[in-house]
Amino acid sequence: MIEENKQDRLYVIPMEGVVVFPNMETKIKLSKHTGQIVYKLLKMGKNPVIGLTLKHEDQVGSPEPGDLYQTGVLLDVITVQPADNGFLLRAKSLDKVGVSNFEEERGMLTAQYEVIEDKVDLDEENQIEMVDFIKDTVLEMSKNFQGAEQFIKPLLDLTSIMEIMGYILPYLPVSTSEKQELFEMASLRDQCLRVIDLLMKQKESIHFQIEMAKKFSERSNKNYRESLLREQLRVIQEELNEGKGKGKIGYREKIEKANMPEEAKEAALSELEKLEAMGKQNPESHIVRNYLDLLVALPWSTEEAGEIDIQEARQILDHNHYGLEDVKDRIIQHLAVMKLKKEKQGSILLLVGPPGTGKTSLGQAIAESLGRKYVRASLGGIRDEAEIRGHRRTYIGALPGRIIQGMKKAGVKNPVFVLDEVDKLAVSFSGDPASALLEVLDPEQNNSFSDHYLEIPYDLSDVMFIATANSLNTIPGPLLDRMEAIQISSYTNYEKAIIAKNHLLPKALEEHGLNLDLLQISDEALKVIIDRYTREAGVRALKKQLDKIARVASEKIVSGKVETPWEVSGKMLGDILGKEVFRHDDALSGQPPGVVTGLAWTPVGGDILFIESTFMQGKGALTLTGQLGDVMKESARISLSLIRSRLAHAIRKFDFIKSDIHIHVPSGATPKDGPSAGIALFTALASLILGKTVNTKLAMTGEITLRGSVLPVGGIKEKILAAHRAGISRVIIPKENVKDLEDVPKKVREELLFIPVENVEEVLKEALEIDLPKPEFREASLEAALPPAQ
Ligand SMILES: Nc1ncnc2c1ncn2[C@@H]1O[C@H](COP(=O)(O)OP(=O)(O)OP(=O)(O)O)[C@@H](O)[C@H]1O
Ligand SMILES: [Mg+2]
């Protein structure tokens, strides 16, 4: 049999940190690169393969023959699946083999092999005895541990001595090289004896620790005994972890090394004295320990920050984010000022814009471009000042605030610290978190920031803070004063397509262990996803849809249901992503009179909204529904008055006195307010009363006055982008807003027709094609609109 196999050559899979015995089911982690090659080989039917253990863990790059042990097992591969940061291979191990004559092929090693038959120098009876002995020992040891049943049950089912060794070996605290040595032993008897030897050592060590704990227990209470046992187990584990726990240094040394300022050091030393005096039994000791742990872990001393390389910073920003030219310019200018003034902090940047437009990730890119650490704290929904400033240590379960926690996580004194969602801070009875944040952000004060938990002032002046928000409206004034706002606006569909192709898709592929050889998504499909499966200002939902495709793809590819590369086209999206979510064409066609498309600005970007109106017999009442704010309600009343004054003469048929009018603005996700729906409300009423439909592909925004003038409004860029997203073709805007169109990307401008207006007559002409009487008729029409004298 050995002779027959002599000429065979199989692919070699390097295994890190595991030694696999014959006849076991096993899971092996593969690097991304190896995983992909193995995957392709399998598809070509190249199975089984040879599993060889790596001599050194943390092997980087492809291993050379010298990096591998020369005795391993044949593996019959069951599946290869993408797993975090690589692939996971499931296989059944076959015979033990020795290998020789390595060669390289398709980026992997191949080798000749011969099967090694172990010397079976234990008779059957002895084998059974050994098996029983090992099982008994393990059972006895396991009694000391909760939850060991899971481990024990499969063991009891095993009968062959080889299988049992293979099963318990990974759990024994010995190094990979020792395991390999055991594996290579040619005599079954020697192997068994070695395993038993290892087991006994382990058992003794546990036994000893438990005995000690019992002795202690006579003097202390039960709770304490448990905690001590746990502590001792931890020490045992550390020790068994091959010296990882060696050289544990005490607090005193850590305090010395932490480079604390005098005040902090004094506090730390006095706490340490307290700790030593109270002894380990004292239940309060862990409170002091936690405090000391924080003190020694916080970064206290300043590292020299490297020079800022402006050009490189720009490159990194460009690499991470497509477009956003103005924003990047502003950031670079900011960095340039910091460089010139040799400041570590500069003023505080505030990135404002709709969700998913890259604010948080820009913060990360800025950190990268400065070569500084990045930390982030989310402030959304915080209503308690203590979340920022910490709880006093006298409270049970007290913690430092998010700022100090962030600094601990950063581990350096000059990180880039992103404060996410500062617009969502809430005020409540437990104090005003915004005012605590003021102290953090104020360069005059933040060199001695006080956290209630920490007690000692902490210097934040080296930190570069960057804040993010969706809207400026809800940020308290004093906080806003300290920051320099940079607006980020929605992306156009073209920008989204490029971001999807160059940034989001590669990221989605990587996160799912895929690449372009396995999955491709056509440009046309990307366009369909953007148009019909998402409707958003940013690209977050788009990323989610791409992730979904990647998930479906990895399942299909791994199970061999599709050929690779799997090419996804627009037609296939229905099957993968389900029904289309948005069909603008449907919403925008066939509406009755009284319905008009308006444009709104919201913190999550611009949006289109439909204003609906209807009338019925009644007494001249006006009903408004749909979560309208006060300003919007006023606009509706102004509109009605205007209609009655301007149109009454033209529509004597409509009896304002005997009709009730109802206006509804479907609320969508956010309540709306502001004067900018004025002309849309006006047009909706005119359309209703005249019984003439308005083309819903015509959208409009503008404030109206009682005199019938149209005034400029804010948020033009966001509104125009939303109109474009929604498939609108013409937009009525106030004349004074024409200058704002400069900010709208050229491509979008070219695809829309803008109609600037100054008064409601122009609006009506455009929307309903009616010419209102000239102003001299106004007096007369007013009279006509007045209710008859009682
Ligand atoms: N211009 C861009 N180029 C490349 N990727 C982008 C761009 N804009 C956003 N992204 C990606 O979109 C995702 C969402 O961005 P991010 O989390 O930074 O949004 P955000 O503005 O902080 O949103 P929120 O307001 O909801 O917190 C990230 O994966 C980011 O990398
Ligand atoms: Mg964010």
Side-chain angles (χ1 to χ4, degrees):
M1 173 170 179
I2 294 171
E3 286 305 313
E4 268 173 29
N5 284 332
K6 198 83 182 144
Q7 291 313 312
D8 283 352
R9 180 166 275 290
L10 291 179
Y11 284 92
V12 169
I13 290 185
M15 306 189 290
E16 186 179 317
V18 281
V19 175
V20 179
F21 276 62
N23 288 323
M24 296 170 58
E25 279 230 354
T26 181
K27 287 181 186 162
I28 296 162
K29 262 200 79 182
L30 302 180
S31 72
K32 226 179 282 169
H33 177 69
T34 329
Q36 277 159 4
I37 304 181
V38 173
Y39 182 78
K40 279 188 204 152
L41 291 176
L42 288 183
K43 294 213 72 178
M44 291 155 51
K46 310 269 185 197
N47 199 21
V49 292
I50 304 173
L52 292 182
T53 300
L54 280 164
K55 285 185 184 163
H56 310 285
E57 296 194 15
D58 309 324
Q59 166 84 31
V60 276
S62 324
E64 303 279 320
D67 297 331
L68 297 158
Y69 290 109
Q70 316 265 307
T71 310
V73 279
L74 290 184
L75 293 171
D76 187 19
V77 180
I78 304 168
T79 58
V80 185
Q81 286 167 322
D84 52 349
N85 240 332
F87 282 77
L88 193 68
L89 177 128
R90 282 208 307 128
K92 174 120 182 43
S93 56
L94 309 171
D95 290 325
K96 180 165 161 184
V97 292
V99 298
S100 55
N101 293 336
F102 284 99
E103 271 173 26
E104 205 187 308
E105 204 180 310
R106 295 169 201 267
M108 273 186 64
L109 290 174
T110 63
Q112 286 183 338
Y113 71 95
E114 52 186 297
V115 172
I116 299 173
E117 306 268 8
D118 281 343
K119 198 158 53 163
V120 185
D121 45 6
L122 278 176
D123 59 27
E124 206 157 310
E125 204 176 311
N126 276 338
Q127 281 194 31
I128 294 175
E129 268 172 25
M130 291 272 191
V131 165
D132 288 345
F133 182 77
I134 293 180
K135 282 184 183 174
D136 286 347
T137 315
V138 174
L139 256 181
E140 201 181 320
M141 282 164 70
S142 72
K143 281 187 197 134
N144 300 310
F145 298 96
Q146 269 184 359
E149 299 81 18
Q150 288 174 6
F151 168 79
I152 295 296
K153 236 178 134 286
L155 176 79
L156 296 182
D157 293 340
L158 298 179
T159 47
S160 121
I161 182 81
M162 275 306 255
E163 283 174 5
I164 287 189
M165 285 195 294
Y167 184 78
I168 59 173
L169 198 63
Y171 299 95
L172 287 178
V174 289
S175 65
T176 312
S177 60
E178 279 175 280
K179 287 179 190 168
Q180 178 73 21
E181 197 185 311
L182 177 80
F183 175 69
E184 286 182 13
M185 288 180 172
S187 137
L188 185 60
R189 181 190 194 86
D190 290 351
Q191 280 185 329
C192 275
L193 291 177
R194 173 70 66 90
V195 167
I196 288 173
D197 187 32
L198 286 171
L199 260 183
M200 295 313 290
K201 265 196 203 145
Q202 176 75 351
K203 185 178 156 191
E204 260 165 40
S205 130
I206 292 174
H207 188 70
F208 171 69
Q209 301 293 338
I210 289 168
E211 276 300 300
M212 267 188 30
K214 274 189 188 145
K215 291 238 163 68
F216 268 113
S217 74
E218 285 153 22
R219 270 180 282 142
S220 52
N221 64 30
K222 184 164 162 281
N223 280 347
Y224 170 62
R225 198 167 85 226
E226 267 176 22
S227 73
L228 187 70
L229 264 173
R230 244 178 244 124
E231 176 65 18
Q232 287 189 335
L233 261 180
R234 195 176 61 79
V235 174
I236 300 172
Q237 273 159 2
E238 266 181 18
E239 247 153 50
L240 292 179
N241 257 342
E242 293 161 332
K244 272 187 200 154
K246 262 186 217 158
K248 198 167 171 264
I249 52 174
Y251 279 121
R252 198 168 297 275
E253 200 175 330
K254 282 188 191 166
I255 293 170
E256 291 301 331
K257 281 190 179 161
N259 245 335
M260 297 179 192
E262 226 18 68
E263 194 179 355
K265 193 167 167 183
E266 268 168 31
L269 288 174
S270 93
E271 288 293 318
L272 181 59
E273 271 165 28
K274 234 196 268 174
L275 180 71
E276 285 164 350
M278 64 173 67
K280 284 187 178 175
Q281 285 99 324
N282 193 321
E284 265 185 34
S285 70
H286 82 269
I287 299 180
V288 181
R289 278 165 175 278
N290 286 345
Y291 181 63
L292 277 172
D293 283 338
L294 174 69
L295 282 184
V296 295
L298 270 179
W300 293 100
S301 59
T302 321
E303 305 78 16
E304 266 314 303
E307 272 282 299
I308 302 175
D309 182 338
I310 296 289
Q311 238 171 351
E312 195 189 321
R314 177 85 206 195
Q315 273 169 7
I316 292 178
L317 291 182
D318 282 339
H319 175 78
N320 282 313
H321 287 83
Y322 169 79
L324 302 173
E325 295 307 327
D326 300 350
V327 177
K328 288 189 233 168
D329 287 348
R330 285 283 300 275
I331 293 174
I332 290 295
Q333 285 161 11
H334 187 86
L335 299 186
V337 172
M338 275 170 65
K339 181 179 164 120
L340 281 180
K341 288 172 74 181
K342 299 218 177 307
E343 280 178 339
K344 290 183 215 98
Q345 180 171 17
S347 53
I348 284 120
L349 287 180
L350 168 64
L351 303 172
V352 202
T357 46
K359 298 179 298 298
T360 308
S361 49
L362 263 173
Q364 206 166 356
I366 293 174
E368 191 186 326
S369 65
L370 291 175
R372 282 159 68 164
K373 271 262 178 77
Y374 164 84
V375 271
R376 163 177 176 268
S378 177
L379 306 181
I382 287 189
R383 36 181 66 242
D384 190 345
E385 192 185 332
E387 293 267 0
I388 306 242
R389 217 193 258 291
H391 292 273
R392 294 193 188 285
R393 266 192 295 147
T394 41
Y395 290 102
I396 294 175
L399 282 176
R402 304 234 177 151
I403 305 295
I404 291 297
Q405 286 181 24
M407 293 311 295
K408 181 179 165 195
K409 203 154 90 194
V412 293
K413 215 162 150 250
N414 64 350
V416 171
F417 199 135
V418 171
L419 299 165
D420 248 339
E421 309 188 351
V422 283
D423 55 336
K424 304 205 182 60
L425 284 173
V427 180
S428 76
F429 61 88
S430 355
D432 178 5
S435 68
L437 204 55
L438 273 184
E439 192 188 323
V440 174
L441 297 182
D442 189 342
E444 307 277 310
Q445 294 181 47
N446 73 5
N447 56 4
S448 59
F449 172 67
S450 65
D451 181 283
H452 293 323
Y453 182 89
L454 186 62
E455 287 175 0
I456 312 155
Y458 187 82
D459 180 5
L460 291 171
S461 62
D462 291 341
V463 182
M464 176 173 181
F465 285 105
I466 297 177
T468 81
N470 289 139
S471 153
L472 291 179
N473 301 344
T474 48
I475 303 180
L479 201 54
L480 198 53
D481 280 350
R482 285 175 173 70
M483 302 189 280
E484 192 185 332
I486 300 182
Q487 287 280 353
I488 299 185
S489 53
S490 315
Y491 293 118
T492 64
N493 287 358
Y494 312 107
E495 288 170 326
K496 287 185 191 175
I498 299 176
I499 294 174
K501 196 171 158 120
N502 297 344
H503 294 267
L504 306 178
L505 184 57
K507 224 187 278 176
L509 290 177
E510 189 181 328
E511 282 164 11
H512 291 82
L514 299 168
N515 59 25
L516 288 177
D517 292 337
L518 298 173
L519 171 65
Q520 294 183 355
I521 302 182
S522 74
D523 290 355
E524 170 251 340
L526 287 178
K527 203 165 161 311
V528 176
I529 301 172
I530 292 167
D531 278 348
R532 311 231 180 115
Y533 286 91
T534 66
R535 193 216 236 162
E536 54 172 352
V539 291
R540 177 153 302 135
L542 179 55
K543 169 87 185 349
K544 279 200 187 126
Q545 298 290 13
L546 294 177
D547 284 344
K548 190 163 169 190
I549 299 181
R551 272 200 305 278
V552 172
S554 40
E555 195 268 328
K556 282 193 192 295
I557 292 170
V558 167
S559 60
K561 283 187 202 149
V562 292
E563 289 291 309
T564 52
W566 191 42
E567 288 167 23
V568 173
S569 69
K571 283 202 299 290
M572 297 153 68
L573 291 173
D575 286 338
I576 306 172
L577 298 177
K579 242 175 77 187
E580 290 172 1
V581 190
F582 301 104
R583 296 249 15 187
H584 304 307
D585 322 359
D586 295 352
L588 291 178
S589 63
Q591 300 286 3
V595 179
V596 165
T597 314
L599 293 173
W601 180 90
T602 73
V604 298
D607 201 0
I608 62 166
L609 52 92
F610 295 106
I611 292 175
E612 305 169 347
S613 59
T614 187
F615 68 93
M616 60 220 106
Q617 233 180 19
K619 296 187 195 131
L622 174 64
T623 314
L624 301 166
T625 52
Q627 291 195 37
L628 308 187
D630 287 342
V631 181
M632 203 148 160
K633 284 183 186 156
E634 278 170 14
S635 298
R637 296 197 180 280
I638 295 174
S639 301
L640 187 60
S641 302
L642 255 177
I643 298 264
R644 288 176 66 171
S645 70
R646 294 289 168 88
L647 286 176
H649 76 283
I651 28 165
R652 297 201 187 277
K653 274 177 288 171
F654 191 89
D655 192 342
F656 286 99
I657 311 298
K658 289 193 182 142
S659 311
D660 281 353
I661 295 181
H662 184 163
I663 301 180
H664 179 63
V665 184
S667 74
T670 36
K672 298 166 187 76
D673 196 16
S676 74
I679 62 170
L681 286 162
F682 174 80
T683 312
L685 287 176
S687 148
L688 176 75
I689 287 160
L690 296 168
K692 261 184 116 167
T693 57
V694 179
N695 184 346
T696 33
K697 288 207 169 187
L698 168 74
M700 56 190 78
T701 181
E703 176 176 355
I704 47 169
T705 69
L706 207 47
R707 283 181 297 118
S709 330
V710 176
L711 300 183
V713 294
I716 286 290
K717 181 177 177 190
E718 288 297 324
K719 288 174 180 169
I720 302 294
L721 289 174
H724 181 254
R725 268 204 297 279
I728 298 285
S729 51
R730 287 183 300 152
V731 189
I732 300 180
I733 56 167
K735 195 159 191 173
E736 281 187 52
N737 280 125
V738 169
K739 59 179 189 322
D740 298 325
L741 292 178
E742 267 175 39
D743 300 338
V744 178
K746 189 150 168 269
K747 270 196 148 166
V748 173
R749 255 184 298 165
E750 284 168 1
E751 288 182 17
L752 288 172
L753 185 68
F754 296 99
I755 303 125
V757 295
E758 274 182 304
N759 51 48
V760 290
E761 286 84 2
E762 288 167 10
V763 176
L764 288 186
K765 191 161 176 2
E766 186 61 37
L768 292 163
E769 293 166 357
I770 49 171
D771 278 312
L772 265 201
K774 299 284 172 249
E776 48 269 28
F777 286 92
R778 282 189 188 163
E779 300 300 319
S781 62
L782 236 184
E783 242 164 58
L786 287 173
Q790 298 286 316

